Amino acid sequence: PDELREKAKVIIQPIEPAKIDHPAKVDLGRQLFFEPRLSMSGIISCNTCHNLSLGGVDNLKTSIGHKWQPGPVNAPTVFNASLNFVQFWDGRAANLQEQAAGPIQNPIEMGMPHTLAVAVLQSIPGYVDEFKKIYGTDQIAIEQVTDAIAEFEKTLVTPNSRFDKWLKGDDKAITAEEREGFRIFYDSGCIACHNGPNLGGNSFQKIGVVEPYKSTSPAEGRAAVTKKDEDRWYFKVPTLRNVELTYPYFHDGQAKTLEEAVTLMGRLQLGRTFTDDEVKKVVAFLHTLTGERPQMPLPLLPPSGPNTPRPDPFK
Amino acid sequence: PDELREKAKVIIQPIEPAKIDHPAKVDLGRQLFFEPRLSMSGIISCNTCHNLSLGGVDNLKTSIGHKWQPGPVNAPTVFNASLNFVQFWDGRAANLQEQAAGPIQNPIEMGMPHTLAVAVLQSIPGYVDEFKKIYGTDQIAIEQVTDAIAEFEKTLVTPNSRFDKWLKGDDKAITAEEREGFRIFYDSGCIACHNGPNLGGNSFQKIGVVEPYKSTSPAEGRAAVTKKDEDRWYFKVPTLRNVELTYPYFHDGQAKTLEEAVTLMGRLQLGRTFTDDEVKKVVAFLHTLTGERPQMPLPLLPPSGPNTPRPDPFK
Ligand code: HEC
Ligand code: HEC
Ligand code: HEC
Ligand code: HEC
Ligand SMILES: [Ca+2]
Ligand SMILES: [Ca+2]
Ligand SMILES: [Ca+2]
Ligand SMILES: [Mg+2]
């Protein structure tokens, strides 16, 4: 028996495949996730910033939103977001449904008032039918929109990473170097914050425990929600699942590479200066956390109706 | 025997399902079509403006490109584009492969020099493997990129429209009103320009034959290519396949509805003033041209490598 694995299993759980309770809702949610008509410009959908062909992110320091406005923080992945205890870097949304109400009407994201978003959907006969079948009403409501999106997002899990295979008993799933990287990760204390099925996503922690983090970003973290000074620089610990795919790193997207992120975490959170060799091994371990991305059909969206409001993106 | 159908069959051919000669190339082309890393911003792909979840278009008057710059003309659909005799409104590209070389490096579309686009692909191990398997070389070339995209685009046909079913003998596929709309379309002479499998796409024709077209767009049509004054206002006749999905209409996107487009075509091209009832019937016919949109998996794109150039979209 591998002692390291036994210790690991106590604090990290493998990602399980999604259980789909309501396939019609998931289908509707997928359409809405890819729906550019939910944006003021007509071209931005959830998938623009959380690209499911990539790592559920846009791989930008900060996102490009309505009229090319820069976002305030780095876009986190939607993969395995259902496993996070709260949503957003500062945790201001309790769950995925609550979260999904944000970006549509955010003026620097999709820029679309909810009343107009609902009017657009209500003008599209295909959507009216689908919502009616699922929610039993003729009048689409924003809570239904966000409920369907959340239900779809719950399917966006990434099981069967090499690390999970190792965790489940397959010795050959990871190399000796990767295992050693995990040992360093475990022994040096990363695991204190990056644990649970998401290796993160289950607590707020301060960035800069031992040494302050220098950032030009105005984001202040959890304090934005609690208004308490002691919560400044506390952010939801991000998942390390698929972290290979979710560059750049940190809430401000300032770290370009995993090497940089790991080096900084060692110093700022643990007061530890890793050697190049240690960094290399930890990064090798982090690459074993890439799981199977969900496969899905490209959704075909229902045609606009005669009265579907038309966007005017250069206004 | 339906006499109208017999006349129709002489000049309009049904869309046939795509024959796929090289599935690996189609797969690669699909990935490239959805690949935002081919743009300077990192978020614009072919699919941004030719959204395959919609009608292969962005449904904007003119497109939104790099840094939110407006495009000069309305984006035509990629559905059935393989059946057009040349590509672009002014026909400046002979075929799909030649066309695909345009948008990547166009500063107001994807804004990405070809050398950089190729360097990005070359830095992504998954792509290097795929290109090697298909093209047999280690060095990716832009001609391979455009070849694969074109091969994918050839699969983007939309067979089995209700009109095609009627053409093939199914009397019930269209209603009496729709058939009457087609009769008006045929008898009044629309068919002179909108014929062939695409009901268009096989000749350049002047917009404003009888009465001049008023536009604020600087686009001058075929004259931009030939430099001949007599070619001003000649545009490739657009396909009417899936025209329900490809609003707004005309090269400048000035006509918001099909009713408007049909009314204008009657007056400007044929000197005919249709009654409201005639317009309604022609539009009803045009709706029968919506075919089955291609179903496909959402492509999963290969992860960036350590040296993949990172975009800097706000620079
Ligand atoms: C213009 C870019 C953009 C668009 C469009 C966008 N997002 Fe986001 N998303 C972000 C950014 C940036 C954040 C982080 C914001 C924060 O934490 O304050 C985020 C956060 C999230 C989170 C929280 C993840 C976590 O771990 O905290 C989820 C879930 C999410 N978005 C889903 C969606 C959905 C669903 C849509 C469409 C309805 C959408 N996003 C549209 C950029 C975008
Ligand atoms: C005291 C808590 C804590 C410890 C210990 C800790 N982290 Fe973190 N980690 C965080 C927080 C909080 C963030 C997010 C910081 C931010 O974005 O401002 C983070 C972010 C990261 C990121 C970037 C993820 C992303 O998607 O942006 C990586 C990689 C990472 N940590 C790895 C490590 C490693 C490796 C160690 C051990 C050397 C470690 N962490 C130790 C709390 C911690
Ligand atoms: C920013 C918007 C935008 C992007 C991105 C874009 N296109 Fe286009 N596309 C257009 C516009 C606008 C036209 C019409 C230009 C013209 O005719 O002068 C066009 C024309 C075309 C045509 C010609 C169709 C016809 O009937 O003439 C094809 C095919 C096409 N694009 C495919 C692609 C491919 C492949 C890509 C990616 C490599 C791409 N487009 C990227 C906006 C875009
Ligand atoms: C003499 C040639 C000609 C005739 C006759 C003609 N058209 Fe057109 N049609 C064109 C051209 C050229 C365009 C593109 C004009 C432009 O965009 O500037 C066009 C565009 C259209 C469009 C818009 C398609 C799009 O996607 O933008 C519709 C709809 C249309 N025609 C329908 C008709 C109908 C209905 C008739 C008969 C009443 C008709 N046309 C007669 C040449 C013709
Ligand atoms: Ca719910
Ligand atoms: Ca990131
Ligand atoms: Ca159009
Ligand atoms: Mg070829």
Side-chain angles (χ1 to χ4, degrees):
Chain A
D2 184 331
E3 216 180 285
L4 182 61
R5 177 191 286 139
E6 296 314 310
K7 290 195 287 182
K9 281 163 75 171
V10 178
I11 47 160
I12 303 176
Q13 294 76 41
I15 299 279
E16 299 301 338
K19 287 195 201 77
I20 297 181
D21 302 324
H22 203 322
K25 221 184 240 189
V26 170
D27 271 2
L28 174 59
R30 187 187 303 113
Q31 291 174 63
L32 296 169
F33 192 91
F34 281 86
E35 185 50 87
R37 287 170 294 184
L38 286 178
S39 69
M40 203 64 178
S41 63
I43 63 158
I44 299 181
S45 71
C46 310
N47 195 63
T48 304
C49 301
H50 302 284
N51 196 323
L52 303 181
S53 295
L54 298 167
V57 292
D58 52 16
N59 292 129
L60 296 176
K61 196 166 180 294
T62 63
S63 297
I64 298 169
H66 188 59
K67 295 195 172 173
W68 214 262
Q69 293 174 88
V73 286
N74 183 256
T77 182
V78 287
F79 290 150
N80 308 304
S82 57
L83 304 174
N84 293 338
F85 80 133
V86 290
Q87 302 298 324
F88 289 125
W89 285 100
D90 58 11
R92 69 186 179 279
N95 54 44
L96 288 175
Q97 189 181 4
E98 213 181 297
Q99 191 287 324
I104 298 174
Q105 63 186 353
N106 188 327
I108 63 168
E109 292 190 339
M110 297 163 81
M112 186 83 154
H114 280 172
T115 47
L116 185 51
V118 167
V120 164
L121 297 174
Q122 192 75 42
S123 74
I124 297 172
Y127 277 129
V128 173
D129 281 0
E130 283 189 71
F131 276 90
K132 172 139 200 176
K133 271 189 203 124
I134 296 170
Y135 297 103
T137 57
D138 287 316
Q139 180 54 55
I140 298 170
I142 192 71
E143 292 73 24
Q144 297 160 3
V145 175
T146 54
D147 179 64
I149 291 176
E151 215 57 30
F152 167 61
E153 289 181 305
K154 287 179 198 160
T155 69
L156 302 178
V157 293
T158 63
N160 300 323
S161 65
R162 292 194 294 116
F163 185 77
D164 282 358
K165 287 181 182 160
W166 177 79
L167 214 52
K168 288 181 173 180
D170 179 354
D171 289 325
K172 301 230 172 68
I174 66 175
T175 67
E177 188 195 26
E178 289 160 351
R179 186 182 174 287
E180 178 58 13
F182 175 62
R183 194 200 54 74
I184 298 169
F185 183 87
Y186 188 99
D187 284 346
S188 52
C190 310
I191 211 77
C193 300
H194 297 280
N195 55 47
N198 249 355
L199 294 94
N202 53 3
S203 70
F204 298 110
Q205 299 290 341
K206 185 173 180 178
I207 169 106
V209 176
V210 179
E211 202 184 296
Y213 181 64
K214 295 198 184 94
S215 176
T216 54
S217 162
E220 40 179 22
R222 187 66 189 152
V225 177
T226 64
K227 311 291 174 200
K228 291 189 191 151
D229 218 46
E230 68 256 37
D231 289 335
R232 274 171 75 103
W233 322 129
Y234 276 71
F235 292 93
K236 186 185 69 196
V237 178
T239 179
L240 298 182
R241 294 278 178 192
N242 309 297
V243 72
E244 167 191 13
L245 306 177
T246 62
Y247 67 85
Y249 303 105
F250 300 137
H251 71 274
D252 55 6
Q254 251 178 212
K256 290 204 169 112
T257 64
L258 272 180
E259 285 76 8
E260 223 176 305
V262 168
T263 305
L264 229 58
M265 276 283 130
R267 244 181 47 217
L268 270 48
Q269 305 300 77
L270 299 164
R272 244 196 99 139
T273 308
F274 288 129
T275 65
D276 287 356
D277 185 61
E278 283 171 322
V279 170
K280 187 163 160 267
K281 284 170 176 158
V282 173
V283 169
F285 150 64
L286 291 174
H287 279 247
T288 70
L289 294 170
T290 305
E292 282 170 9
R293 289 177 281 174
Q295 298 202 305
M296 66 188 81
L298 180 75
L300 295 182
L301 303 175
S304 294
N307 300 318
T308 301
R310 305 299 195 232
D312 193 352
F314 299 107
K315 199 172 51 179
Chain B
D2 183 331
E3 215 180 287
L4 182 61
R5 178 192 286 139
E6 295 315 308
K7 289 195 289 182
K9 279 163 76 169
V10 178
I11 46 160
I12 303 175
Q13 295 75 43
I15 299 278
E16 299 301 337
K19 288 195 201 76
I20 297 181
D21 302 324
H22 202 322
K25 221 184 239 188
V26 170
D27 272 3
L28 174 59
R30 188 186 302 113
Q31 291 174 62
L32 297 169
F33 192 90
F34 281 86
E35 184 51 86
R37 288 170 293 185
L38 286 178
S39 69
M40 202 65 179
S41 64
I43 62 156
I44 298 180
S45 71
C46 309
N47 195 63
T48 304
C49 302
H50 303 284
N51 197 321
L52 303 181
S53 295
L54 297 168
V57 292
D58 51 17
N59 292 128
L60 296 176
K61 196 165 179 295
T62 63
S63 298
I64 298 170
H66 187 60
K67 296 194 171 173
W68 215 262
Q69 293 173 88
V73 285
N74 182 256
T77 182
V78 287
F79 290 150
N80 309 304
S82 57
L83 304 175
N84 292 338
F85 80 132
V86 291
Q87 301 297 325
F88 289 125
W89 285 100
D90 58 11
R92 68 187 181 279
N95 54 45
L96 287 174
Q97 187 181 4
E98 214 181 296
Q99 192 286 325
I104 299 174
Q105 63 184 353
N106 188 327
I108 63 167
E109 293 191 338
M110 298 163 81
M112 186 83 154
H114 281 171
T115 46
L116 185 51
V118 167
V120 164
L121 297 174
Q122 192 74 43
S123 74
I124 298 172
Y127 277 129
V128 173
D129 281 1
E130 282 189 72
F131 276 90
K132 171 139 200 176
K133 271 189 203 122
I134 295 169
Y135 297 103
T137 58
D138 287 315
Q139 180 55 54
I140 297 170
I142 192 71
E143 292 73 24
Q144 295 160 2
V145 175
T146 55
D147 179 64
I149 291 177
E151 215 58 29
F152 166 61
E153 288 181 305
K154 287 178 198 161
T155 69
L156 301 178
V157 292
T158 63
N160 301 322
S161 66
R162 292 193 294 117
F163 185 78
D164 283 357
K165 286 181 183 160
W166 177 78
L167 215 51
K168 288 181 173 180
D170 179 355
D171 289 325
K172 301 229 172 70
I174 66 175
T175 66
E177 189 195 27
E178 289 160 351
R179 185 181 174 286
E180 178 58 12
F182 175 62
R183 193 200 55 74
I184 299 169
F185 183 86
Y186 188 98
D187 285 346
S188 52
C190 310
I191 211 80
C193 300
H194 296 281
N195 55 46
N198 249 355
L199 295 95
N202 54 3
S203 69
F204 298 111
Q205 299 290 340
K206 186 173 181 178
I207 169 106
V209 176
V210 180
E211 203 185 295
Y213 181 64
K214 294 200 187 95
S215 175
T216 54
S217 162
E220 41 179 21
R222 187 65 189 153
V225 177
T226 64
K227 312 292 174 201
K228 291 188 190 151
D229 218 45
E230 69 255 37
D231 290 335
R232 274 171 76 106
W233 322 130
Y234 275 71
F235 293 93
K236 186 185 69 197
V237 178
T239 178
L240 298 182
R241 294 279 177 191
N242 309 297
V243 72
E244 167 190 12
L245 306 177
T246 61
Y247 68 83
Y249 304 104
F250 301 138
H251 71 275
D252 54 6
Q254 251 178 213
K256 290 204 168 117
T257 65
L258 272 180
E259 284 75 8
E260 223 176 305
V262 168
T263 305
L264 228 58
M265 275 284 131
R267 244 182 47 221
L268 270 48
Q269 305 300 77
L270 298 165
R272 243 195 99 140
T273 307
F274 289 128
T275 64
D276 286 356
D277 184 61
E278 283 172 323
V279 170
K280 188 163 160 263
K281 285 171 176 159
V282 173
V283 170
F285 150 64
L286 291 175
H287 279 247
T288 71
L289 294 170
T290 305
E292 282 170 9
R293 289 178 281 174
Q295 299 202 304
M296 65 187 82
L298 180 76
L300 295 182
L301 303 175
S304 295
N307 300 319
T308 301
R310 305 300 194 230
D312 193 352
F314 299 107
K315 199 172 49 181

